[in-house]
Amino acid sequence: MCGIVGYVGSQSALDVVMAGLKRLEYRGYDSAGVAVLADGGLAGAKKAGKLVNLEKALVERPLLAGGTGIGHTRWATHGGPTDGNAHPHLDNAGRVAVVHNGIIENFACLRAELAERGHELVSETDTEVVAHLLAEEFSACADLAEAMRLVCRRLEGAFTLVAVHADEPDVVVGARRNSPLVVGVGEGEAFLASDVAAFIAHTRSAIELGQDQVVELRRDGVTVTGFDGGPGDARSYHVDWDVSAAEKGGYDYFMLKEIAEQPKAVADTLLGRIDPAGSLTLDEVRIPAAALREVEKVVVVACGTAFHAGLIAKYAIEHWTRVPCEVELASEFRYRDPILDARTLVIAISQSGETMDTLMALRHAREQGAKVLAVCNTNGSTIPRESDAVLYTHAGPEVAVASTKAFLTQLVACYLVALYLGQVRGTKWGDEIRAVVRDLADISGAVERVLETMEPVRELARSLADKNTVLFLGRHVGYPVALEGALKLKELAYMHAEGFAAGELKHGPIALIEQDVPVVVVVPSPRGRSVLHDKIVSNIQEIRARGARTIVIAEEGDEAVVPYADHLIRVPATPTLLQPLVATVPLQVFACELATARGNEVDQPRNLAKSVTVE
Ligand code: M6R
């Protein structure tokens, strides 16, 4: 949700922190702020709005240079996006500065206690109490890490905290509970951040922190302890991508770059997972084959775009394994008392690995005895750490708030899991698996071909910039594709966009069709399941008869749709189950171009943040 950076070393902390915040701005852009230790005291600046406002403020009133500093880019929870509510927050003496991601649930009573003891709190945030509590504890122990441990033991909720104290000028302290924080280790310097992207330009040597950990950074080393002062839970790892992956690389937006990276992301996600004989080798799925054979039900939990990947996974899992599969919005899951046991396999899909709703759903599932397999894009993040097993998607860092390459790779990973279940349970013959694997291997090239033919889609999007509504229809796996197309358009173009199961339209939503309303229809392959195809062709005729402007996505060679398509978008022929991998791509391009045409911020749409680390 928010982006946090901390630095101690011999470089200018302000420069390092500001550059780090730039890379984390996708996590929140309601306000930004920094604090550095210089000349025996703390100096800082904070501004509502995007990072550029803070940059301007720092040009007008430069800060003194020092080697220790922290910074924050905010997605507001408690208190509006004002200068006063921006982080860092200070104690009354201005000796402690703290930045925070998450929610401190018991802040109201802590605030009341502090007020009784004479503290004056000036913001509307939950964070400010931490600065005051740290100041109190530090005055007794003169040790910021110890003060942090003591304070954290009093906090309820989910939080990442990073703090500095003017009396310990070469120290940065961080803490995490249920919220992301990684350490970067350089030569004579160390970094703290919500995401490795913040320090990848300086070091690829990282440390992931376990739950309820406090970390103390000094120039010459990093010390990790539990909130109780006991031994730390931390794991060092090497970040396997470099700074170029976190840059726009000549594209106007990260989203455009990430759309273009999809052929590679898809191919990379297959890499090393198929042996020369064409069987699947998912050794990383540490759940033994015997346990997978016992599975009686699969439940997929996820949010947003990842949820749409789950909806598509259900078709593949049930078709290839004959195991019943439910797909549930993670935010609803644990509140309906789901029926789970040791024979349930829960698949938690998350790009970031930090989505709080998904994390809470998987914890609930594990408490009920279910096994959890994470499908995740972020190495070492909380969701894979807390799962029984993980299948990483190899999309590389996804920076744009709107998920694109993560979605395609989540689909590939889910197809692999479904096939693997079919392999170990014997519901799929080896040659059937090899045939699907061959089709999957062709997808990268097919996505490449889709990308080469997108100019008419961009033109069409521009021509619809003044519309208020776009509807999306699909059947079978085309239905979640329709939902995903609508979600992309909502979040980027701020238009009324809705996805429907095409067959459901006549049960109510068809009343929305009026003259010239654009309706995007995802048409399944005419081959094989032609009943599905015929039915959707009828649906297209029904809406066209009522004045809709039809935008039809259909595979090459499907001539039956031609008479009913006001605009026809061709995608390469694929087996029906795999069609979402190609049919989604034009919808991403469509939404991106419409957002641009409407003058919207493509990478940072209003009100949103990339990782949603609050429930
Ligand atoms: O990091 P996750 O995959 O868990 O995120 C889930 C959703 O928040 C995310 O997919 C969101 O819906 C995207 N902004 C959609 O483009």
Side-chain angles (χ1 to χ4, degrees):
M1 227 56 194
C2 303
I4 287 183
V5 187
Y7 174 74
V8 58
S10 52
Q11 304 188 55
S12 155
L14 184 62
D15 292 349
V16 173
V17 167
M18 286 300 287
L21 290 181
K22 188 102 206 134
R23 291 204 197 284
L24 296 190
E25 206 183 6
Y26 70 89
R27 300 181 69 89
Y29 29 87
D30 287 336
S31 64
V34 286
V36 292
L37 291 168
D39 255 8
L42 266 175
K46 49 193 203 172
K47 277 277 159 215
K50 297 205 166 194
L51 193 59
V52 64
N53 296 355
L54 177 65
E55 284 167 347
K56 280 187 204 144
L58 289 168
V59 170
E60 284 161 19
R61 205 174 57 86
L63 300 183
L64 289 176
T68 306
I70 60 177
H72 188 264
T73 174
R74 177 170 188 243
W75 187 84
T77 55
H78 289 68
T82 60
D83 287 359
N85 289 333
H87 300 211
H89 289 282
L90 309 185
D91 66 318
N92 285 146
R95 305 294 286 168
V96 182
V98 65
V99 292
H100 165 221
N101 174 23
I103 291 180
I104 293 162
E105 284 164 4
N106 58 336
F107 90 99
C109 67
L110 293 170
R111 195 181 169 102
E113 271 178 34
L114 285 162
E116 262 176 39
R117 292 200 292 274
H119 292 259
E120 200 189 326
L121 284 91
V122 293
S123 79
E124 300 162 283
T125 67
D126 51 343
T127 309
E128 196 182 3
V129 297
V130 178
H132 290 255
L133 291 171
L134 281 173
E136 277 188 345
E137 297 294 357
F138 188 90
S139 66
C141 68
D143 176 343
L144 187 57
E146 176 60 6
M148 183 65 96
R149 284 189 286 270
L150 293 167
V151 170
C152 286
R153 301 212 284 262
R154 302 188 55 196
L155 303 180
E156 289 165 19
F159 49 85
T160 297
L161 296 163
V162 173
V164 287
H165 196 296
D167 292 347
E168 270 197 300
D170 294 322
V171 173
V172 175
V173 168
R176 79 167 286 261
R177 167 181 286 167
N178 286 342
S179 205
L181 184 65
V182 272
V183 183
V185 184
E187 291 282 324
E189 59 185 0
F191 308 78
L192 272 177
S194 313
D195 177 332
V196 293
F199 55 71
I200 194 72
H202 304 278
T203 180
R204 291 168 73 179
S205 172
I207 299 175
E208 67 176 62
L209 300 171
Q211 200 54 263
D212 287 4
Q213 301 293 298
V214 166
V215 57
E216 183 189 69
L217 261 57
R218 293 177 181 272
R219 288 178 190 214
D220 58 356
V222 169
T223 312
V224 182
T225 50
F227 283 180
D228 58 1
D233 171 12
R235 184 185 70 92
S236 300
Y237 67 102
H238 180 75
V239 183
D240 58 9
W241 48 271
D242 64 16
V243 67
S244 63
E247 288 176 343
K248 285 190 200 152
Y251 288 88
D252 288 343
Y253 309 112
F254 277 107
M255 185 178 177
L256 286 172
K257 177 181 176 229
E258 289 159 8
I259 289 173
E261 284 171 344
Q262 292 184 111
K264 181 171 184 310
V266 163
D268 287 353
T269 301
L270 286 173
L271 219 61
R273 287 166 170 165
I274 296 150
D275 71 17
S279 300
L280 295 170
T281 50
L282 300 189
D283 299 339
E284 56 221 287
V285 176
R286 299 179 310 258
I287 303 170
L292 292 176
R293 279 193 280 274
E294 302 281 288
V295 167
E296 287 176 352
K297 179 171 78 169
V298 176
V299 180
V300 183
V301 290
C303 302
T305 288
F307 172 70
H308 297 154
L311 290 175
I312 293 165
K314 173 185 167 77
Y315 288 85
I317 290 169
E318 292 191 339
H319 186 64
W320 289 335
T321 72
R322 309 310 298 153
V323 178
C325 175
E326 298 165 11
V327 190
E328 181 100 22
L329 286 168
S331 54
E332 290 294 318
F333 182 65
R334 67 183 169 133
Y335 301 106
R336 70 163 177 90
D337 197 13
I339 300 163
L340 304 162
D341 60 25
R343 291 175 182 233
T344 310
L345 175 68
V346 170
I347 303 178
I349 309 176
S350 174
Q351 187 284 130
S352 62
E354 301 294 349
T355 300
M356 186 58 75
D357 292 314
T358 310
L359 179 62
M360 289 303 167
L362 87 81
R363 282 188 184 159
H364 181 79
R366 292 195 78 201
E367 277 160 23
Q368 309 298 308
K371 288 260 176 295
V372 177
L373 168 67
V375 169
C376 184
N377 194 42
T378 311
N379 201 317
S381 54
T382 311
I383 287 173
R385 273 182 69 92
E386 295 202 13
S387 298
D388 296 286
V390 55
L391 191 68
Y392 280 111
T393 51
H394 294 157
E398 190 179 69
V399 177
V401 166
S403 197
T404 54
K405 61 177 180 171
F407 178 67
L408 258 59
T409 58
Q410 284 161 355
L411 288 179
V412 171
C414 287
Y415 291 131
L416 290 176
V417 170
L419 283 176
Y420 187 63
L421 279 173
Q423 181 173 293
V424 299
R425 296 168 68 95
T427 52
K428 272 277 174 210
W429 297 105
D431 53 351
E432 291 173 311
I433 292 174
R434 281 189 284 281
V436 182
V437 160
R438 276 196 300 277
D439 291 332
L440 277 171
D442 289 343
I443 291 291
S444 169
V447 174
E448 192 85 65
R449 296 218 302 284
V450 175
L451 290 172
E452 283 161 7
T453 57
M454 284 299 94
E455 195 42 46
V457 174
R458 281 189 278 270
E459 240 172 66
L460 170 65
R462 289 193 290 272
S463 76
L464 299 177
D466 60 348
K467 294 279 177 199
N468 297 319
T469 298
V470 181
L471 303 179
F472 294 76
L473 303 184
R475 276 180 179 261
H476 193 259
V477 290
Y479 168 43
V481 172
L483 295 177
E484 175 60 8
L487 175 64
K488 286 283 98 79
L489 205 62
K490 275 181 240 192
E491 69 178 335
L492 293 169
Y494 318 152
M495 291 168 85
H496 171 226
E498 274 195 78
F500 298 104
E504 187 62 17
L505 207 66
K506 57 189 173 300
H507 299 288
I510 200 162
L512 292 169
I513 305 290
E514 55 188 36
Q515 197 56 40
D516 213 33
V517 69
V519 184
V520 179
V521 189
V522 183
V523 178
S525 168
R527 296 162 298 125
R529 293 172 156 262
S530 60
V531 179
L532 207 58
H533 177 267
D534 296 350
K535 292 231 177 332
I536 209 158
V537 174
S538 304
N539 299 142
I540 302 174
Q541 292 176 58
E542 287 155 15
I543 55 169
R544 204 157 180 267
R546 287 162 177 82
R549 179 156 161 194
T550 56
I551 302 165
V552 174
I553 301 182
E555 80 172 39
E556 285 154 2
D558 179 352
E559 294 309 315
V561 294
V562 173
Y564 315 111
D566 295 314
H567 307 271
L568 186 55
I569 301 170
R570 290 294 192 187
V571 291
T574 56
T576 302
L577 275 172
L578 306 190
Q579 198 202 33
L581 288 164
V582 289
T584 309
V585 177
L587 301 182
Q588 300 166 341
V589 173
F590 182 70
C592 183
E593 192 68 25
L594 246 164
T596 312
R598 288 165 73 94
N600 296 353
E601 293 259 8
V602 169
D603 285 336
Q604 295 172 351
R606 70 183 178 201
N607 303 338
L608 290 170
K610 179 81 181 155
S611 305
V612 185
T613 54
V614 292
E615 269 190 284

